[in-house]
Amino acid sequence: MPSIKAALSKPFAKYIAKRIKKWSSNPVETQQKVFDNLVSEANHTAFGKDHNFSSISSFKEFQNNVPIRDYEELKPYVERVVAGEEDILWKGKPIYFAKTSGTTSGAKYIPITKESMPTHIEAARNAILLYINETGNAKFVDGKMIFLQGSPILEEKNGIKLGRLSGIVAHYVPKYLQKNRLPSLETNCIDDWETKVEAIVDETINEDMSIISGIPSWVQMYFEKLIEKSGKNVGDLFKNFNLFIFGGVNYEPYRAKFENLIGRKVDSIELYPASEGFFAFQDKQDEKGMLLHLNSGIFYEFVEAEHFFEENSKRITIADVKLDVNYVMIISTTAGLWAYNIGDTVQFTSLKPYRVIVSGRIKHFISAFGEHVIGKEVEQALKEATENTSISVNEFTVAPQINPEEGLPYHEWLIEFENEPENEAELLEALETSLKKQNSYYLDLIDGKVLRPLKITKIKKDGFQSYMKSIGKLGGQNKIPRLSNDRKIADSLHQLNLTK
């Protein structure tokens, strides 16, 4: 017999699904409203005055007045906000700063405003509601839920609270879910990731877990420790566990491993959250890609990744995007980010409605010889090469080897196997075939004898975790880049003696 909570969730889910269908069916008009509102609301801010927002009435004028910037280029404005000034990037002051790791200058402070905060919460809620509406399955709302996330302890800077996005969001869990939610506040506040996971295992091992959520690599660590302690697979331990919610990385490289750890298939929902905004979630179980949020105070622009570093590269709106093109996603938001490059590349899998997959990072690629291999391509190659085999992969990354001791340069695949290949030559050939099929530049370089075929380097068990620990990035929202155009990670794995 379903609880009142489960019964009430179904009509509410139906109502939300109708609202989402309304704006997703009118994408261009929806984005135009968002654009007009953003420019109007920020008219009197320092940024708005500096960029003549009062004279902007079209997207073309916005393009002419507001160049694309990344965090480093927007930093002078952000520093004024951090110093406590008002009306700089957005009206008033932000209510939070989401603190993230910067690549070049230490911590980044991403503003979250009273207008942008609700969109983070609603998106996560709506992802679950659309799943309920599609499947009719609502019984999991009565079970226990776990969200592997950062510490909810927040610092303060000039009167504005700051912390990891997942820690900030932890303060907004609805009251009707609080008693179902694990781990406890005390456990969630533990800083050391390994200690925290051990405590989470102790708290959850005897509970009726129905939803588990987090970045796959860290959830995998949690699952392995559960199995080690209980001697049971996760599906037998949590008989009502039937929904896995994840974001941050592509789940496909982990799927086979997860099904093995769980002992059965479970439904999953992919999310696309970031400190800068909650951009998309999976709205259909049988459709590829995630529904892009066009009605959440975010105006989107896209630049073809192939031309992104060219001067005056073309910026387009949602109206002009095409399927399967690799785009750099540019956002303007109610948090005061303007023509902001978050660093992600996306590809559209559907235009009615607009659905995307994250294809990689504009800075995470290999083009040491002009091949421009991207994250999506190496993930797809690994998926194709291990399908219908017993091979299982825990983690991997790819790097160029430009100056080998002998022979031609090559791409080095550093892979931590759970189940190693019986025939490594077959795996190599399958990876190579898939990459050449996906990337004509790579094919030409192999055929032209500029590169030799890829090489696999095996990484010891938990080697990637040891590497992340060595750089102080174990756990939380930290993840291994799928590929790099340098050898920083690859060389570290070798130097730390983490290769077999």
Side-chain angles (χ1 to χ4, degrees):
M1 181 97 179
S3 69
I4 293 173
K5 189 160 62 174
L8 289 176
S9 67
K10 290 186 179 182
F12 185 46
K14 191 174 183 181
Y15 165 72
I16 292 297
K18 277 186 181 174
R19 283 183 57 181
I20 288 172
K21 189 171 183 185
K22 189 176 179 184
W23 61 252
S24 63
S25 302
N26 298 283
V28 175
E29 180 189 324
T30 298
Q31 276 285 275
Q32 185 66 51
K33 283 181 182 172
V34 170
F35 173 77
D36 292 342
N37 179 64
L38 285 169
V39 172
S40 167
E41 290 290 308
N43 208 343
H44 301 294
T45 63
F47 189 94
K49 290 172 184 172
D50 289 349
H51 296 80
N52 301 312
F53 274 23
S54 58
S55 69
I56 292 175
S57 58
S58 69
F59 169 57
K60 189 70 187 164
E61 288 168 346
F62 179 78
Q63 273 188 326
N64 292 337
N65 287 14
V66 186
I68 292 172
R69 290 176 168 96
D70 60 16
Y71 184 82
E72 294 305 311
E73 293 162 314
L74 196 66
K75 197 174 177 182
Y77 287 99
V78 176
E79 284 179 337
R80 291 175 65 184
V81 181
V82 173
E85 288 188 53
E86 292 189 19
D87 301 325
I88 302 302
L89 287 164
W90 190 252
K91 55 191 181 182
K93 291 184 181 184
I95 54 174
Y96 298 104
F97 291 117
K99 190 176 178 182
T100 70
S101 302
T103 50
T104 56
S105 63
K108 297 198 299 188
Y109 296 93
I110 307 297
I112 298 176
T113 63
K114 71 176 191 295
E115 288 82 9
S116 69
M117 188 69 223
T119 62
H120 288 274
I121 310 308
E122 285 170 12
R125 178 202 71 185
N126 290 353
I128 295 173
L129 288 171
L130 283 199
Y131 171 80
I132 291 172
N133 188 62
E134 181 188 7
T135 64
N137 173 22
K139 62 184 180 184
F140 60 82
V141 304
D142 296 320
K144 297 284 186 182
M145 306 173 187
I146 186 169
F147 301 92
L148 290 176
Q149 57 195 180
S151 171
I153 296 174
L154 303 179
E155 303 167 49
E156 202 164 287
K157 203 167 185 75
N158 295 320
I160 298 170
K161 290 178 178 176
L162 71 97
R164 297 281 181 187
L165 176 68
S166 60
I168 292 168
V169 168
H171 293 268
Y172 286 82
V173 175
K175 282 184 179 168
Y176 62 84
L177 290 181
Q178 288 285 13
K179 66 175 184 152
N180 293 50
R181 183 171 165 260
L182 289 166
S184 64
L185 181 63
E186 184 184 12
T187 295
N188 229 358
C189 292
I190 296 171
D191 264 336
D192 180 74
W193 187 252
E194 289 170 299
T195 308
K196 183 172 184 167
V197 172
E198 293 285 0
I200 292 172
V201 167
D202 289 341
E203 279 194 12
T204 57
I205 199 163
N206 295 315
E207 296 288 351
D208 177 22
M209 306 303 299
S210 59
I211 297 180
I212 294 171
S213 174
I215 290 177
S217 51
W218 306 120
V219 175
Q220 179 180 314
M221 187 177 172
Y222 165 61
F223 282 174
E224 287 170 343
K225 288 187 180 296
L226 278 169
I227 292 167
E228 193 182 308
K229 189 151 191 173
S230 69
K232 297 179 179 178
N233 64 36
V234 175
D236 287 337
L237 196 61
F238 304 139
K239 295 192 185 302
N240 292 311
F241 168 44
N242 54 20
L243 185 59
F244 173 50
I245 303 175
F246 68 94
V249 295
N250 183 2
Y251 181 41
E252 287 311 314
Y254 299 94
R255 190 179 292 277
K257 168 75 175 175
F258 266 57
E259 287 175 2
N260 184 45
L261 292 171
I262 296 164
R264 54 184 160 84
K265 291 187 178 184
V266 297
D267 285 348
S268 60
I269 303 175
E270 183 174 8
L271 310 179
Y272 184 9
S275 300
E276 295 87 351
F278 202 126
F279 305 122
F281 59 65
Q282 183 181 349
D283 65 316
K284 293 280 185 187
Q285 286 292 298
D286 57 354
E287 293 283 350
K288 187 182 180 186
M290 296 172 282
L291 183 71
L292 191 64
H293 293 172
L294 305 175
N295 194 37
S296 296
I298 301 169
F299 177 69
Y300 298 92
E301 300 174 66
F302 303 91
V303 178
E304 286 191 33
E306 196 176 330
H307 303 295
F308 183 71
F309 294 107
E310 297 171 7
E311 201 172 340
N312 301 318
S313 50
K314 189 178 180 185
R315 293 157 65 176
I316 59 174
T317 66
I318 201 81
D320 298 313
V321 296
K322 295 173 182 170
L323 292 175
D324 301 321
V325 175
N326 207 35
Y327 292 108
V328 179
M329 191 167 80
I330 308 299
I331 58 167
S332 298
T333 77
T334 52
L337 301 175
W338 299 102
Y340 185 85
N341 171 21
I342 61 168
D344 287 348
T345 57
V346 300
Q347 292 180 2
F348 284 86
T349 59
S350 161
L351 302 181
K352 286 187 176 179
Y354 286 94
R355 293 192 184 97
V356 296
I357 58 167
V358 180
S359 52
R361 299 278 292 167
I362 192 60
K363 291 181 180 175
H364 290 174
F365 57 86
I366 298 178
S367 202
F369 305 91
E371 60 272 45
H372 210 86
V373 173
I374 62 172
K376 174 179 174 282
E377 291 167 350
V378 296
E379 288 181 333
Q380 181 66 22
L382 188 67
K383 182 187 176 189
E384 289 180 12
T386 56
E387 259 174 350
N388 304 316
T389 73
S390 61
I391 300 167
S392 177
V393 170
N394 283 341
E395 194 61 89
F396 78 100
T397 193
V398 187
Q401 177 51 274
I402 299 168
N403 299 306
E405 289 181 10
E406 57 180 346
L408 292 172
Y410 58 89
H411 286 187
E412 182 181 17
W413 285 60
L414 301 106
I415 306 176
E416 182 185 321
F417 291 101
E418 177 69 20
N419 290 331
E420 293 193 6
E422 291 176 16
N423 188 327
E424 192 173 309
E426 280 183 10
L427 175 62
L428 276 167
E429 189 180 343
L431 288 170
E432 194 72 25
T433 301
S434 179
L435 262 186
K436 288 194 288 191
K437 181 179 70 180
Q438 294 181 77
N439 188 309
S440 59
Y441 301 113
Y442 183 77
L443 171 65
D444 290 344
L445 288 165
I446 295 287
D447 287 352
K449 300 286 190 285
V450 176
L451 290 177
R452 60 172 149 145
L454 63 90
K455 177 187 169 188
I456 291 173
T457 298
K458 293 176 184 175
I459 301 299
K460 292 176 181 175
K461 170 79 172 157
D462 299 330
F464 281 99
Q465 285 183 21
S466 298
Y467 164 72
M468 292 297 272
K469 191 174 182 179
S470 77
I471 60 169
K473 289 193 172 182
L474 184 65
Q477 305 304 301
N478 301 307
K479 32 195 187 286
I480 292 277
R482 283 286 171 246
L483 71 181
S484 314
N485 203 35
D486 57 42
R487 290 195 54 80
K488 188 177 174 186
I489 297 171
D491 286 346
S492 293
L493 288 164
H494 283 284
Q495 288 158 9
L496 291 166
N497 197 30
L498 297 172
T499 58
K500 286 188 175 181

